[in-house]
Amino acid sequence: MELKKDSNAVSIDMLLIVHSEKRRAAQGTRSDRQADPGALPQRRGGLQGIGNGIRRWQKFEGSDVHGSLAEKEHPQQTQVITSYDNQGTQLTVEVHPRDAMPQLLKKFSLAKCLQGEKNGNTRPRQPGAKDAHAYPWDRSSLKSMPLDLRQFEKLDTYASQVTVNSGLDELVSDLLQEAHSDLERVRVIWIWICHHIEYDIEAAQEKDRQAFKPTDILRTRKTNCDGYAGLFEKMCRIAGVQCMTVPGYSKGFGYQTGQSFSGDFDHAWNAVYLEGRWHLVDSTWGSGLVDSTTSKFTFLYNEFYFLTHPALFIEDHFPDNKNWQLLKPPQSLKQFENNMYHKSEFYNKGMLSAHPETSVIKTVNGKATITIESCAPTLFMFMLNGKQEHGLLSLRKNGMKLDIYPPTVGTHKLQIFAKGSSDVYSSVLEYTLKCNYVDISVRLPAELHQPVGPSWFSEQMGIVKPSHPDPIIHTGDGRCSVSFGVEEGISVLASLHGDEGPVTEETQRRYIFQVQRQKRAELKVQLPQAGKFALKIFVKKRLEPGNYVFVFNYLLCCTNTKVNWPMFPESFGNWGQDNELLEPLSGVLPANRNVPFKLKLHGVAKALVKGQDTWPLTLTREGYWEGSCSTAGCREIYVMVLENANHNFYSYILKYKVNAQ
């Protein structure tokens, strides 16, 4: 074999390629890919895990875009001689015309390599120590290099609007019109693919299919993960940026918590060489999602998978070659399987960490506790086996705490969602709970919603300085009083919910009597029986239309089986928020008794109690309306007021029932 070097290129007379039997078997059948140099390498993978696997393979450089150019420049037929010895060693000899350059070396220029020119068409170097990032994540950034995403706003808008007028080269040329650095070149390619290429679910599920060609992808605007990765690589190469396709395992669509990985790879992504280091991207997952119920793809751009920090990328991407983890130390497949999987939305919505750090949790005495730390106040919710039940979720200034009580022995699925700055809750974590004991004394009301207890969110909604900062209130006699400050212009509504007895809107509110004192509201609560109850708090801006909005609830607990409090009296619309009822508090009065009344009423000219007869109430020096009435011969008693002394129309404000004789 003779090598000659001039100022521009290397010429070669013969190329010998030697493969061991193991290498040859690992590469698999290549005739289909070599038959069409313009086709992207075929592998079956999927959007977040859909697919039938990816064969292990080492990509020949000759399959890139320059392969077709070589055919035009050297029309002479290349002779290929292949032979095997008795131990399975393969010997391949390519015989070329003396002045021709073999396709495997077509893209190399020794002079350029010696000069160290940066060129997307030079053989990419393998990742080394300087590419590795420390593991675990240091919380410094979601990206593997410093980025200000605001600098991409105009570029992203431009790239997303570029249309395909001709072939791939022309598309890349159009995209690069506004890109002035390798980073910007990679960015416009990434944005265009993520906004224009749809995931082809049907093709991904086929076991035998043809490779995706760039022309077919541009025509149909559909492909699978192989097509995404191959198209991204080819466009980067045309743009002069080094890029590699990386096959491996993934925790995506269809992933089950704690599952193991073996056999064919199920996904593919890319590594790009920028500013002297390798960086990771996944345009398949950056483009959108597949709905698990309808199996339909939806474009939903995900910034997380662009230049993702390798310590985060490893949570759901495990490459065939550990060097492509870009981590120090690299993780084993077993670690990848066992490590907690934080979904991309976990980080997109500002989460920092979660405990426990294992995806499978065993309950202790029927209980499991999960905590999340976030970089800003965040709203959370959870679902246990698809229902928002059997848990106490309390918000913290930077995170949340969840105590979960599985209702039965066995395995349970726990999902945790976060809202962040958007109006949509997104799944951020999934746990598998294993419960071998159920504490029946900790059964929670089905209507106990999230969050439990006051927090930064209730302050944001106008409820401040609560008398009970803890989410659980214990009462021995079945009564309690909860108070909190209320900001100007805010109305408060409360309701009581339990699992025992008939539940109507009337009973939900009649066991609570609300008193407003200046800028502070007091809720007097009487429980109908022992048990656990949810005391729900709602708010509404008085001058704005619409319904009351749920803010939080307390869990009320009473173990006294003698408790049997009646409802409070029924109040009507004219009962002002600043009014106060001191007696009688019970909504059911005894028969044939004289019952004293004492109320504080604002803006009232006269007040009276009406039963079988009428009894006026007198305004005292202390500002209370006082008097009494007889319940003899009555079934109902009303408190009525005259708001304007010049009128004779009295309004009902309270209603009592009288026990049967």
Side-chain angles (χ1 to χ4, degrees):
M1 181 168 62
E2 179 184 1
L3 290 175
K4 294 181 180 179
K5 187 184 82 171
D6 59 23
S7 61
N8 295 314
V10 174
S11 65
I12 184 169
D13 293 318
M14 182 178 291
L15 176 66
L16 301 181
I17 303 174
V18 180
H19 296 285
S20 67
E21 176 68 20
K22 180 178 180 181
R23 173 69 175 273
R24 182 164 58 87
Q27 289 177 345
T29 303
R30 297 187 46 80
S31 59
D32 57 334
R33 292 193 294 273
Q34 292 173 338
D36 184 357
L40 300 181
Q42 176 188 354
R43 283 177 288 147
R44 290 183 287 273
L47 182 71
Q48 303 206 15
I50 285 186
N52 299 301
I54 300 175
R55 293 190 294 272
R56 289 182 183 271
W57 61 287
Q58 179 65 37
K59 182 179 178 184
F60 279 131
E61 301 296 335
S63 64
D64 76 337
V65 70
H66 299 274
S68 58
L69 295 178
E71 293 177 5
K72 295 178 182 178
E73 294 173 7
H74 305 286
Q76 300 94 331
Q77 182 68 34
T78 297
Q79 299 181 37
V80 180
I81 305 170
T82 303
S83 179
Y84 302 91
D85 65 13
N86 56 7
Q87 295 188 358
T89 300
Q90 174 187 337
L91 175 65
T92 301
V93 179
E94 294 184 9
V95 182
H96 300 262
R98 184 172 184 80
D99 295 331
M101 184 172 295
Q103 203 150 300
L104 285 172
L105 296 180
K106 172 67 183 175
K107 64 184 67 177
F108 291 98
S109 166
L110 182 59
K112 290 183 179 179
C113 290
L114 292 175
Q115 295 168 10
E117 181 178 334
K118 181 169 63 175
N119 187 334
N121 295 327
T122 60
R123 182 186 296 275
R125 71 164 178 82
Q126 292 294 306
K130 73 174 185 177
D131 299 291
H133 295 251
Y135 185 88
W137 183 45
D138 61 5
R139 298 186 177 187
S140 60
S141 172
L142 301 182
K143 303 296 185 181
S144 53
M145 64 186 297
L147 288 182
D148 180 1
L149 295 177
R150 291 173 297 182
Q151 70 177 333
F152 293 135
E153 289 178 357
K154 291 184 179 179
L155 192 66
D156 290 353
T157 301
Y158 169 78
S160 65
Q161 295 174 352
V162 171
T163 58
V164 180
N165 296 317
S166 183
L168 193 62
D169 293 81
E170 291 77 7
L171 171 61
V172 174
S173 177
D174 290 343
L175 288 170
L176 297 188
Q177 293 299 314
E178 300 295 327
H180 307 294
S181 66
D182 279 357
L183 174 59
E184 291 186 348
R185 294 182 187 101
V186 170
R187 181 70 180 188
V188 293
I189 293 170
W190 155 269
I191 288 293
W192 190 89
I193 290 177
C194 289
H195 287 80
H196 291 85
I197 304 302
E198 179 179 344
Y199 188 75
D200 193 334
I201 301 171
E202 293 182 1
Q205 294 174 338
E206 294 177 3
K207 294 184 178 180
D208 298 305
R209 60 172 175 77
Q210 296 298 315
F212 280 97
K213 299 178 183 179
T215 52
D216 292 336
I217 297 176
L218 294 185
R219 177 177 55 81
T220 64
R221 301 291 181 90
K222 289 185 177 183
T223 188
N224 71 342
C225 67
D226 299 317
Y228 277 102
L231 181 63
F232 188 89
E233 177 182 344
K234 186 153 289 190
M235 293 175 73
C236 284
R237 296 285 183 105
I238 296 173
V241 179
Q242 293 187 23
C243 181
M244 294 285 285
T245 295
V246 182
Y249 295 123
S250 66
K251 295 179 180 178
F253 184 85
Y255 168 72
Q256 298 296 320
T257 304
Q259 79 174 60
S260 58
F261 294 87
S262 61
D264 293 335
F265 296 119
D266 64 4
H267 195 41
W269 53 94
N270 295 100
V272 291
Y273 194 73
L274 297 170
E275 300 184 8
R277 296 180 76 173
W278 284 105
H279 303 269
L280 302 170
V281 300
D282 186 342
S283 56
T284 311
W285 291 10
S287 63
L289 297 170
V290 173
D291 190 305
S292 59
T293 56
T294 64
S295 293
K296 290 185 178 180
F297 174 83
T298 300
F299 278 107
L300 185 63
Y301 177 71
N302 192 343
E303 173 65 35
F304 180 77
Y305 291 106
F306 179 74
L307 308 185
T308 314
H309 194 293
L312 305 180
F313 204 77
I314 191 63
E315 292 200 21
D316 47 17
H317 292 74
F318 187 84
D320 68 333
N321 183 334
K322 67 179 181 181
N323 292 334
W324 285 117
Q325 294 181 24
L326 307 183
L327 289 176
K328 184 178 181 180
Q331 301 295 289
S332 68
L333 180 59
K334 194 67 176 176
Q335 288 175 304
F336 174 74
E337 293 171 344
N338 293 337
N339 284 349
M340 184 65 206
Y341 170 37
H342 305 90
K343 299 185 179 183
S344 61
E345 285 301 289
F346 181 90
Y347 298 106
N348 284 339
K349 292 188 181 297
M351 310 297 106
L352 296 172
S353 65
H355 297 277
E357 295 180 341
T358 57
S359 56
V360 180
I361 307 174
K362 292 183 179 180
T363 60
V364 177
N365 296 325
K367 170 185 171 183
T369 299
I370 293 92
T371 59
I372 292 180
E373 180 186 359
S374 60
C375 60
T378 305
L379 289 174
F380 294 88
M381 61 170 284
F382 74 90
M383 295 187 76
L384 183 67
N385 302 326
K387 296 182 179 180
Q388 300 181 45
E389 298 179 359
H390 311 294
L392 296 174
L393 189 154
S394 54
L395 298 176
R396 297 176 173 179
K397 185 176 182 181
N398 292 96
M400 70 89 174
K401 177 185 177 184
L402 171 62
D403 291 328
I404 201 80
Y405 303 88
T408 59
V409 171
T411 301
H412 305 266
K413 180 180 179 180
L414 174 64
Q415 298 169 284
I416 298 177
F417 303 82
K419 193 172 184 180
S421 58
S422 69
D423 293 331
V424 179
Y425 280 94
S426 300
S427 176
V428 295
L429 285 177
E430 286 188 12
Y431 286 97
T432 296
L433 299 186
K434 293 188 175 181
C435 178
N436 56 10
Y437 169 77
V438 175
D439 187 350
I440 59 174
S441 66
V442 194
R443 292 197 179 277
L444 303 175
E447 288 293 323
L448 185 72
H449 290 168
Q450 309 150 49
V452 180
S455 66
W456 62 266
F457 178 64
S458 53
E459 288 186 7
Q460 182 177 297
M461 299 299 288
I463 296 178
V464 298
K465 298 180 180 180
S467 60
H468 295 69
D470 295 328
I472 303 176
I473 299 175
H474 294 274
T475 169
D477 64 357
R479 295 185 295 180
C480 67
S481 176
V482 178
S483 64
F484 38 76
V486 180
E487 292 185 355
E488 188 71 27
I490 298 295
S491 297
V492 177
L493 184 68
S495 59
L496 188 71
H497 304 259
D499 290 339
E500 302 293 334
V503 178
T504 65
E505 187 173 346
E506 180 185 17
T507 58
Q508 288 170 357
R509 296 178 182 173
R510 290 280 302 281
Y511 287 98
I512 304 166
F513 200 85
Q514 184 172 331
V515 178
Q516 193 83 18
R517 293 190 179 94
Q518 296 181 346
K519 294 184 179 181
R520 198 163 182 85
E522 179 185 4
L523 303 177
K524 297 180 179 181
V525 183
Q526 297 182 161
L527 301 181
Q529 68 269 332
K532 292 183 174 64
F533 297 84
L535 175 61
K536 292 188 175 184
I537 313 295
F538 303 82
V539 301
K540 178 183 176 297
K541 291 185 178 180
R542 294 176 185 171
L543 300 180
E544 293 185 3
N547 299 322
Y548 280 83
V549 177
F550 171 74
V551 180
F552 73 97
N553 41 208
Y554 284 104
L555 175 63
L556 307 185
C557 303
C558 178
T559 58
N560 186 349
T561 56
K562 296 181 179 179
V563 166
N564 184 23
W565 291 104
M567 291 184 288
F568 287 101
E570 181 180 356
S571 59
F572 297 98
N574 286 340
W575 174 262
Q577 284 204 340
D578 293 333
N579 293 343
E580 182 179 355
L581 173 66
L582 281 79
E583 59 178 346
L585 291 175
S586 174
V588 181
L589 303 179
N592 301 318
R593 296 280 185 88
N594 281 327
V595 179
F597 281 76
K598 185 176 182 180
L599 307 91
K600 179 168 284 189
L601 306 173
H602 296 274
V604 170
K606 293 182 180 180
L608 59 84
V609 178
K610 184 178 185 306
Q612 188 75 6
D613 296 310
T614 299
W615 292 268
L617 299 179
T618 303
L619 182 62
T620 66
R621 283 182 157 184
E622 292 79 16
Y624 294 101
W625 292 88
E626 297 186 25
S628 63
C629 79
S630 172
T631 61
C634 297
R635 301 182 64 178
E636 295 174 339
I637 297 287
Y638 293 90
V639 177
M640 305 175 69
V641 296
L642 180 67
E643 297 177 349
N644 190 328
N646 296 322
H647 296 162
N648 294 321
F649 180 76
Y650 280 79
S651 301
Y652 293 94
I653 59 172
L654 294 176
K655 175 184 176 182
Y656 293 84
K657 291 185 177 181
V658 178
N659 272 329
Q661 299 182 8

